[in-house]
Amino acid sequence: MKEGAQLTQAETGKRYDVFHADCPAREMVDHVTSRWGVWVLISLRNNDLRFYELRDSIQGISEKMLTQTLRALVQDGLIWREVEPTTPPKVTYGLSEFGQEVSEPLTDLFDRITQRLPPRSAG
Amino acid sequence: MKEGAQLTQAETGKRYDVFHADCPAREMVDHVTSRWGVWVLISLRNNDLRFYELRDSIQGISEKMLTQTLRALVQDGLIWREVEPTTPPKVTYGLSEFGQEVSEPLTDLFDRITQRLPPRSAG
DNA sequence: CAGGATCCTATCCGATACTG
DNA sequence: CAGTATCGGATAGGATCCTG
């Protein structure tokens, strides 16, 4: 058997033998933690959103990057995409079950950082 | 007061009003979820590591990027750096308390993805 | 061993224009 | 509204050489 399979943290307690380059999880994690992927996934945690809602929600994202990010995440099976062929068209995105699984630790990460960060309102 | 302060997920249940561009957490999250930052943080979860151990641990990373990533994470207060001025020098890195806080959800994310991913050994 | 400095390339990504 | 296609600047990041 070709090695290169990835081990979970639980299995690797011993030393530092993780992160082979050909690990399939590498690519997936890279998508999830991509510059905009993080925010798309977190945005969709509360509710499904339409394209323009996502755009407005995530300040600074361009339509191009939103499109690209959404496409990648849909391909990865993390979010679904529903098209209502009305005029004008209406496209809605939401988390798949897997997407919810994944967005949980992401939200957790986000919350831990914001909580730790500046007591900005203290000033 | 200038708005733009970030709200935690818990507070925003209502709609999609998160992710202002000037949110301080944005930058921090971007560092943490950077291409290599993720793997450095996860690598250090089990034990402190020396420079070359990190390099060997994270397949595909160049020394340049490892250096850059480490420097950024040290500046953010996520990891510490200890230099023993021997010959040759010996530099060790490890997670700060904050770094441990942050690497937890990251490891969680990683584990969820690897568990979900291909039953590669099924073939 | 643990980097710094330099060069150079790939890609990211925003701006713009166009489509159904 | 929700994209696609194209162009060009900015940046990420690899390769190589050099230092304490």
Side-chain angles (χ1 to χ4, degrees):
Chain A
M1 182 212 265
K2 212 168 149 272
E3 64 76 51
Q6 192 58 62
L7 305 169
T8 65
Q9 280 299 106
E11 295 168 311
T12 60
K14 30 196 170 159
R15 292 266 312 152
Y16 55 97
D17 47 3
V18 274
F19 315 145
H20 295 281
D22 64 346
C23 167
R26 266 279 278 266
E27 199 177 347
M28 176 78 73
V29 173
D30 280 349
H31 284 176
V32 168
T33 62
S34 72
R35 177 144 180 66
W36 301 111
V38 184
W39 308 110
V40 168
L41 290 169
I42 294 182
S43 293
L44 291 175
R45 259 217 103 186
N46 292 323
N47 32 248
D48 305 336
L49 292 175
R50 295 182 55 185
F51 186 83
Y52 79 91
E53 289 177 317
L54 277 167
R55 172 168 48 70
D56 294 350
S57 170
I58 305 169
Q59 252 196 24
I61 195 172
S62 67
E63 300 200 346
K64 176 182 171 182
M65 290 320 297
L66 180 53
T67 301
Q68 274 186 23
T69 303
L70 285 170
R71 190 160 32 187
L73 294 177
V74 167
Q75 275 200 324
D76 287 347
L78 290 160
I79 68 183
W80 48 258
R81 174 192 144 110
E82 185 190 30
V83 183
E84 294 177 58
T86 56
T87 303
K90 182 174 169 182
V91 183
T92 309
Y93 296 90
L95 294 180
S96 68
E97 191 195 344
F98 185 21
Q100 290 179 29
E101 267 284 301
V102 156
S103 71
E104 269 178 48
L106 237 41
T107 304
D108 188 19
L109 173 72
F110 176 68
D111 282 347
R112 290 191 192 206
I113 288 181
T114 51
Q115 280 165 29
R116 179 84 175 211
L117 269 190
R120 171 198 271 243
S121 55
Chain B
M1 184 211 262
K2 214 166 147 272
E3 62 75 54
Q6 191 59 61
L7 305 170
T8 65
Q9 278 301 105
E11 295 168 311
T12 62
K14 31 195 169 162
R15 292 259 319 147
Y16 57 97
D17 48 1
V18 274
F19 314 146
H20 295 281
D22 64 344
C23 168
R26 267 278 279 266
E27 198 177 349
M28 177 75 75
V29 172
D30 280 348
H31 284 176
V32 168
T33 62
S34 71
R35 178 145 179 65
W36 301 112
V38 184
W39 308 110
V40 168
L41 289 169
I42 294 181
S43 293
L44 290 176
R45 257 216 106 185
N46 292 324
N47 32 247
D48 305 336
L49 293 175
R50 294 183 55 185
F51 185 84
Y52 79 92
E53 289 176 318
L54 277 167
R55 171 168 48 71
D56 294 349
S57 170
I58 305 169
Q59 253 196 25
I61 195 172
S62 67
E63 300 201 345
K64 176 184 170 181
M65 290 318 299
L66 180 53
T67 302
Q68 275 187 22
T69 302
L70 285 170
R71 190 160 30 186
L73 294 178
V74 166
Q75 275 200 324
D76 287 346
L78 290 160
I79 66 182
W80 48 257
R81 174 191 144 112
E82 185 190 31
V83 184
E84 293 177 57
T86 55
T87 303
K90 183 175 170 181
V91 182
T92 309
Y93 295 89
L95 295 179
S96 68
E97 191 196 342
F98 185 21
Q100 289 179 30
E101 268 284 300
V102 156
S103 71
E104 269 178 47
L106 237 41
T107 304
D108 189 18
L109 172 73
F110 176 70
D111 282 348
R112 290 189 191 208
I113 288 182
T114 52
Q115 279 166 28
R116 178 85 176 212
L117 268 190
R120 173 197 269 245
S121 54

